Amino acid sequence: MAHWFHRNPLKATAPVSFNFYGVAASPAANKICNDLRMSRARLLEMFTDVTCNPEIMKNATDAYFSLLQGFIASLDGTTQENKMRFFQNFKWTDTLQGNTPSAQQDAIFELVSMAFNVALWYTKFASRLTGKENITEAEAKEVHRSLKIAAGIFKHLMEAYIPRLITPAEKGRDLEARVLDTYIVQSQAEAQEVTIARAIELKHNASLIAALAFETANFYQKADHTLNTLEPDYSSKWRKYLQLKQHFYMAYAYCYHGQTLLASDKCGEAIRSLQEAEKCYSKAEALCKEYRHTKGPGTTAKPSEQLFFLKLGGLIKNTLEKCQRENGFIYFHKIPADAPQLELKASYGLAEPVPFEFPPLSEQCTPEVYATFDLTKGPKDDKAKPKQEEEVKPVKEPDLKPQKDTGCIIS
């Protein structure tokens, strides 16, 4: 299942030294700054380390975020903003808009931008796991959980922290509601794909598979519609992926709904449902070609080359032929002109985001140490010596090497 998921690039950021000369007026304050610099650098390294797993990632994120919150949380017993929140400038690029960074002198901007990358890492880790040959049940559960964790992080940022930014997110940037919404819904939809694959492997009831596929197709449609007001230059490729997945899972829904109808002796309706499945599958095939030829950010998925995709085409064809044979010998039902209206609700298997919370404040960040940060000793503006801008270089991400495709997500 390598190249089954579309992935946008990681956000890139300018280096941050946290060298608060004069401001960090005690050894303990200096240690916080040094630890912030080192934990930030380590976390950034983990994003592209192929040996990194969720446990390592959690340790790295907790180390950095617990310290960074010392510049966000109120430590002086008042309701006023932390005096360090607006001291350091941070620069981050966006997943859709190339290497042009956004900059804000705000520790919350750093918190949400870095956490956004953590969520992206979980989606990429899930994608990398699905590229393994003969993925185990435990690994499939890890994929499922990682995607729900990603959705939970995106959701928490949107609800609890992005509203606190002094400077609102620009249109089409990562921290804007439409983009975040799409990432949340896509992560949920992809998690449900794992559930569907498992339900098929274990030969669960056709009505359950049809309902799950229908709900998943609706998720992809919702994500696509959320992006429809963004600039096509940077959203078209992503939208093509969402559209092809929507039609693919609608084909699944109609196919398995047809099996349910046949089992209920509604052969004519079953044939019409399977004919609609054929249409949706053909549309998904066409969208796969369009997606491959559409320019835009991110890795190019190749779903139409996967056995999981190809098997559905054969399943629809064989099931339709079976229904047509049965109708010619037994039922003699009239085939309805209109496709059945799918009003399927899945009782089980829907993917909900895993609730996310930032780690507690580091024990190093005490009111006593906080008091030793003296902003009056900060560097004075020196217009005669303009400081050179740090370049924001794109993140060099590891290549996904596809392995032999076994045609299923769980072995």
Side-chain angles (χ1 to χ4, degrees), residues 268-269 271-273 275-276 279 334-341:
E269 292 177 47
I271 290 170
R272 187 64 188 87
S273 188
Q275 288 172 340
E276 198 65 23
K279 286 184 186 177
K334 184 180 178 182
I335 299 166
D338 297 324
Q341 290 295 313

Side-chain angles (χ1 to χ4, degrees), residues 37 45 60 209 212 234 317 380 384 409:
R37 180 175 64 254
E45 285 174 9
I209 296 170
L212 279 171
Y234 53 80
K317 180 175 179 290
K380 303 290 187 291
I409 205 163

Side-chain angles (χ1 to χ4, degrees), residues 210-263:
L212 279 171
F214 181 62
E215 300 266 22
T216 303
N218 285 341
F219 265 140
Y220 278 118
Q221 184 180 49
K222 179 184 175 184
D224 174 47
H225 287 176
T226 304
L227 290 180
N228 66 7
T229 52
L230 290 185
E231 283 294 327
D233 286 351
Y234 53 80
S235 66
S236 291
K237 189 175 188 69
W238 195 7
R239 289 193 64 196
K240 289 291 182 189
Y241 165 77
L242 299 170
Q243 290 163 11
L244 74 86
K245 282 293 185 78
Q246 179 209 341
H247 284 86
F248 178 67
Y249 281 101
M250 281 303 291
Y252 252 117
Y254 277 116
C255 178
Y256 277 88
H257 185 56
Q259 292 183 23
T260 305
L261 290 168
L262 180 61

Side-chain angles (χ1 to χ4, degrees), residues 91-392:
K91 286 184 184 177
W92 284 90
T93 63
D94 290 88
T95 57
L96 299 179
Q97 298 197 18
N99 299 325
T100 305
S102 298
Q104 290 195 35
Q105 199 152 319
D106 187 347
I108 288 183
F109 178 67
E110 165 73 357
L111 184 79
V112 296
S113 298
M114 187 69 84
F116 193 103
N117 246 17
V118 173
L120 286 178
W121 178 87
Y122 275 100
T123 69
K124 288 171 183 279
F125 174 74
S127 185
R128 194 163 69 242
L129 263 188
T130 61
K132 290 184 65 177
E133 186 177 353
N134 297 323
I135 183 170
T136 66
E137 183 177 334
E139 287 168 334
K141 286 180 179 177
E142 191 75 80
V143 171
H144 189 249
R145 180 164 175 78
S146 293
L147 291 165
K148 293 196 297 178
I149 288 172
I153 296 172
F154 289 130
K155 189 170 186 284
H156 186 59
L157 296 180
M158 188 168 73
E159 292 176 353
Y161 281 87
I162 290 172
R164 294 177 62 187
L165 288 171
I166 302 300
T167 306
E170 298 170 43
K171 289 183 178 180
R173 297 283 184 177
D174 287 339
L175 306 184
E176 201 233 329
R178 290 174 296 178
V179 177
L180 270 166
D181 259 333
T182 305
Y183 276 115
I184 293 167
V185 175
Q186 179 181 335
S187 298
Q188 288 179 268
E190 290 176 348
Q192 283 180 199
E193 290 193 57
V194 181
T195 308
I196 292 167
R198 179 167 175 77
I200 293 168
E201 288 279 321
L202 298 180
K203 296 181 168 56
H204 277 291
N205 191 293
S207 62
L208 172 62
I209 296 170
L212 279 171
F214 181 62
E215 300 266 22
T216 303
N218 285 341
F219 265 140
Y220 278 118
Q221 184 180 49
K222 179 184 175 184
D224 174 47
H225 287 176
T226 304
L227 290 180
N228 66 7
T229 52
L230 290 185
E231 283 294 327
D233 286 351
Y234 53 80
S235 66
S236 291
K237 189 175 188 69
W238 195 7
R239 289 193 64 196
K240 289 291 182 189
Y241 165 77
L242 299 170
Q243 290 163 11
L244 74 86
K245 282 293 185 78
Q246 179 209 341
H247 284 86
F248 178 67
Y249 281 101
M250 281 303 291
Y252 252 117
Y254 277 116
C255 178
Y256 277 88
H257 185 56
Q259 292 183 23
T260 305
L261 290 168
L262 180 61
S264 303
D265 296 323
K266 298 177 180 178
C267 197
E269 292 177 47
I271 290 170
R272 187 64 188 87
S273 188
L274 285 149
Q275 288 172 340
E276 198 65 23
E278 274 192 324
K279 286 184 186 177
C280 292
Y281 186 77
S282 295
K283 179 64 175 173
E285 286 183 310
L287 282 164
C288 283
K289 292 176 185 174
E290 291 177 29
Y291 166 73
R292 277 200 302 273
H293 293 103
T294 302
K295 293 182 179 179
T299 58
T300 300
K302 300 173 184 176
S304 60
E305 297 177 12
Q306 311 302 319
L307 285 177
F308 187 66
F309 189 98
L310 297 170
K311 278 182 176 180
L312 177 59
L315 179 64
I316 293 168
K317 180 175 179 290
N318 294 338
T319 311
L320 178 56
E321 287 175 355
K322 177 186 175 183
C323 288
Q324 288 169 334
R325 282 196 307 272
E326 297 295 306
N327 203 43
F329 279 108
I330 302 170
Y331 295 103
F332 305 103
H333 287 169
K334 184 180 178 182
I335 299 166
D338 297 324
Q341 290 295 313
L342 297 183
E343 296 178 357
L344 308 173
K345 289 286 181 187
S347 304
Y348 309 98
L350 295 177
E352 289 296 327
V354 172
F356 175 78
E357 292 288 341
F358 284 104
L361 187 67
S362 169
E363 292 178 357
Q364 292 175 245
C365 302
T366 65
E368 292 75 24
V369 175
Y370 176 73
T372 66
F373 283 96
D374 187 354
L375 297 188
T376 64
K377 304 289 177 61
K380 303 290 187 291
D381 289 334
D382 189 351
K383 293 180 181 176
K385 295 181 180 179
K387 191 175 179 180
Q388 188 173 356
E389 291 280 323
E390 288 279 14
E391 184 184 355
V392 180

